[in-house]
């Protein structure tokens, strides 16, 4: 199958919408990451998503909507969800709600709930309208790989597997939507994202956070390998910025002594302090500029598909605000985590 990257003209969006209606797959941009979409009420179409990604069938898909009236057929709209729709939708938030009988098991992996999301991206919204159905869409990567935030990254994973990738440029947020489950008395965050715990608490009161490592995770997808770059990665976490440079120098020295080629994903500030000749440097933005770092994280990890590093050292960020979502992705991508408080 030939895979085309197409500009999102009206004509191309119409063509993509027709493909979805016909039970085919289309990759499309959202404000978070690119999605791999199918008709969310067509079980056979949704099964194609699992095949293209190599995704385990018990890992449910979320449904993307353009209008509130579309949601009623798919989910029971609980009062907490109404508040969240008003506050954050369209936007980078997925709300877990009881599903209706119209949502096939292929979407929910047999669960009685379904994820509901309104993407804040003109191309995504136009595509959902053109297809005239909710679009089931996971991130458009091969299972286990970093999520794609450009059409080229989708192409790298999906070439030959799908007909069309709608090109919307680089995604605005770069990390997937926050997932919040509102089916119990106290809402629970299953995956952190750009809508933070603090933002949700302003609307809902107390909000719990599900542990991100657990043998029986609340979001089934959390138990699988995620976001992994092609070479092993050590994440370096420290609360002391003073020691960061020293730790990196020590680790680089150790690895170079083993004849290893060392990649570094880190802030401009840290990279400028390290000896550039001894590392393959991939800066992710300025220290503390969490919006930029989030937007760059997956491309940083994917850049090592084409670099010759044997190992990556990555600089963690503080676990606050959007930093919670960034660190959640970094920790899952890492093969090893180095926690250093003293040097
Ligand atoms: O930003 C996003 O959410 C992107 C874009 C394309 O919209 N989509 C996305 O989908 O990240 P995916 O499939 O890569 O991640 C969805 C996560 C998985 O971990 C899945 O297990 C969880 O949501 N999930 C889906 N339905 C669920 C449900 N009913 N209950 C609990 N977790 C659910
Ligand atoms: Mg994903």
């Amino acid at each position: 199958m030939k895979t085309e990257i197409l500009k999102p003209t009206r004509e191309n969006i119409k063509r993509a919408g027709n493909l979805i209606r016909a039970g085919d797959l289309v990759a499309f941009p959202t404000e978070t990451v690119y999605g791999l979409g199918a008709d969310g009420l067509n079980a056979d179409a949704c099964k194609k998503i699992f095949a293209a990604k190599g995704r385990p069938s018990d890992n449910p898909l979320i449904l993307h909507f353009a209008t509130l009236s579309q949601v009623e057929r798919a989910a029971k709209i609980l009062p907490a969800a109404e508040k969240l729709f008003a506050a954050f939708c369209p936007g980078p938030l997925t709300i877990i709600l009881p599903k209706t009988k119209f949502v096939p098991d292929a979407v929910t992996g047999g669960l009685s709930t379904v994820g509901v999301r309104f993407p804040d991206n003109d191309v995504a919204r136009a595509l959902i309208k053109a297809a005239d159905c909710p679009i089931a869409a996971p991130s458009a990567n091969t299972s286990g790989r970093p999520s794609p935030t450009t059409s080229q990254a989708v192409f790298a994973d999906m070439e030959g597997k799908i007909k069309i990738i709608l090109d919307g440029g680089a995604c605005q947020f770069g990390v997937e939507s926050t997932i919040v489950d509102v089916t119990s008395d106290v809402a629970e965050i299953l995956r952190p994202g750009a809508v933070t715990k603090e933002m949700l608490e302003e609307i809902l009161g107390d909000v719990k956070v599900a542990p991100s490592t657990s043998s029986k995770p609340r979001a089934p997808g959390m138990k699988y390998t995620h976001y992994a770059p092609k070479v092993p990665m050590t994440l370096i976490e420290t609360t002391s910025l003073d020691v960061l440079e020293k730790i990196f120098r020590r680790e680089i020295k150790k690895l170079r002594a083993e004849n290893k080629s060392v990649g570094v994903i880190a802030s401009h500030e840290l990279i400028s302090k390290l000896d550039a000749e001894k590392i393959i440097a991939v800066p992710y933005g300025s220290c503390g500029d969490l919006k930029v770092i989030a937007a760059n994280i997956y491309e940083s990890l994917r850049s090592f598909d084409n670099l010759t590093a044997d190992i990556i050292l990555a600089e963690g960020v503080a676990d606050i605000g959007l930093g919670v979502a960034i660190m959640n992705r970094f920790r899952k991508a890492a093969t090893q985590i180095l926690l250093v408080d003293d040097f």
Side-chain angles (χ1 to χ4, degrees):
M1 188 187 301
K2 184 165 182 284
T3 303
E4 285 181 276
I5 299 181
L6 299 177
K7 289 272 162 252
T9 59
R10 266 175 55 187
E11 228 166 82
N12 287 336
I13 288 174
K14 196 168 161 209
R15 192 174 143 203
N18 287 339
L19 276 177
I20 299 250
R21 281 198 75 79
D24 240 317
L25 304 183
V26 169
F28 63 99
T30 81
E31 80 279 32
T32 58
V33 301
Y34 275 74
L36 181 62
D39 177 347
L41 303 181
N42 175 341
D44 288 334
C46 290
K47 284 180 189 157
K48 292 183 187 169
I49 292 178
F50 291 88
K53 279 181 63 91
R55 177 172 173 121
S57 60
D58 69 344
N59 189 0
L61 308 174
I62 60 188
L63 293 182
H64 296 67
F65 298 87
T67 58
L68 204 53
S69 57
Q70 270 184 322
V71 179
E72 279 156 19
R73 198 172 155 80
K76 182 170 177 213
I77 303 179
L78 301 172
E82 269 173 32
K83 291 187 198 164
L84 294 176
F85 288 150
F88 301 114
C89 297
L93 182 68
T94 297
I95 304 167
I96 305 294
L97 290 170
K99 81 172 193 80
T100 67
K101 63 178 184 204
F102 299 110
V103 179
D105 280 344
V107 168
T108 61
L111 295 179
S112 59
T113 54
V114 64
V116 170
R117 164 153 148 71
F118 290 84
D120 187 13
N121 175 287
D122 289 344
V123 179
R125 290 164 63 83
L127 177 65
I128 298 166
K129 285 183 186 155
D132 197 23
C133 59
I135 294 186
S139 48
N141 51 285
T142 300
S143 230
R145 297 255 298 139
S147 301
T149 53
T150 63
S151 58
Q152 292 77 17
V154 178
F155 189 82
D157 283 15
M158 291 298 148
E159 187 191 359
K161 297 183 172 171
I162 58 175
K163 289 182 188 144
I164 287 184
I165 301 168
L166 289 175
D167 184 3
C171 298
Q172 182 193 348
F173 288 99
V175 288
E176 301 86 345
S177 60
T178 305
I179 302 179
V180 63
D181 183 343
V182 297
T183 61
S184 308
D185 287 348
V186 180
E188 188 173 16
I189 295 174
L190 309 187
R191 178 176 70 186
V195 176
T196 61
K197 179 171 190 274
E198 293 73 20
M199 291 160 75
L200 290 170
E201 282 183 332
E202 265 185 42
I203 306 297
L204 299 177
D206 265 356
V207 171
K208 289 192 286 186
V209 180
S212 69
T213 49
S214 146
S215 57
K216 200 171 183 309
R218 305 261 294 101
M222 294 197 302
K223 69 177 176 275
Y224 297 107
T225 310
H226 264 92
Y227 320 127
K230 288 207 167 155
V231 288
M233 181 174 104
T234 300
L235 175 64
I236 300 181
E237 295 187 33
T238 174
T239 49
S240 159
L241 289 176
D242 296 341
V243 302
L244 198 61
E245 182 189 342
K246 287 185 200 154
I247 298 162
F248 267 82
R249 285 190 184 284
R250 182 189 71 189
E251 292 303 308
I252 291 167
K253 199 169 159 197
K254 217 159 62 184
L255 291 163
R256 298 272 306 163
E258 296 166 15
N259 268 324
K260 294 213 166 110
S261 156
V262 184
V264 172
I265 298 178
S267 61
H268 291 294
E269 289 82 353
L270 177 61
I271 283 175
S272 69
K273 288 182 193 155
L274 300 172
D275 189 345
E277 283 171 22
K278 294 194 175 145
I279 57 169
I280 300 169
V282 176
Y284 58 34
S286 277
C287 204
D289 194 348
L290 298 179
K291 277 197 173 156
V292 172
I293 297 173
N296 286 332
I297 180 170
Y298 289 132
E299 274 301 297
S300 309
L301 297 170
R302 278 181 177 267
S303 65
F304 285 94
D305 293 359
N306 306 310
L307 296 169
T308 55
D310 298 311
I311 182 160
I312 304 166
L313 301 176
E315 176 190 356
V317 300
D319 249 324
I320 39 168
L322 188 54
V324 176
I326 294 170
M327 288 307 281
N328 169 272
R329 306 320 190 267
F330 257 153
R331 289 182 184 129
K332 285 177 192 281
T335 36
Q336 195 194 356
I337 297 176
L338 211 56
L339 278 171
V340 204
D341 278 323
D342 281 313
F343 187 76

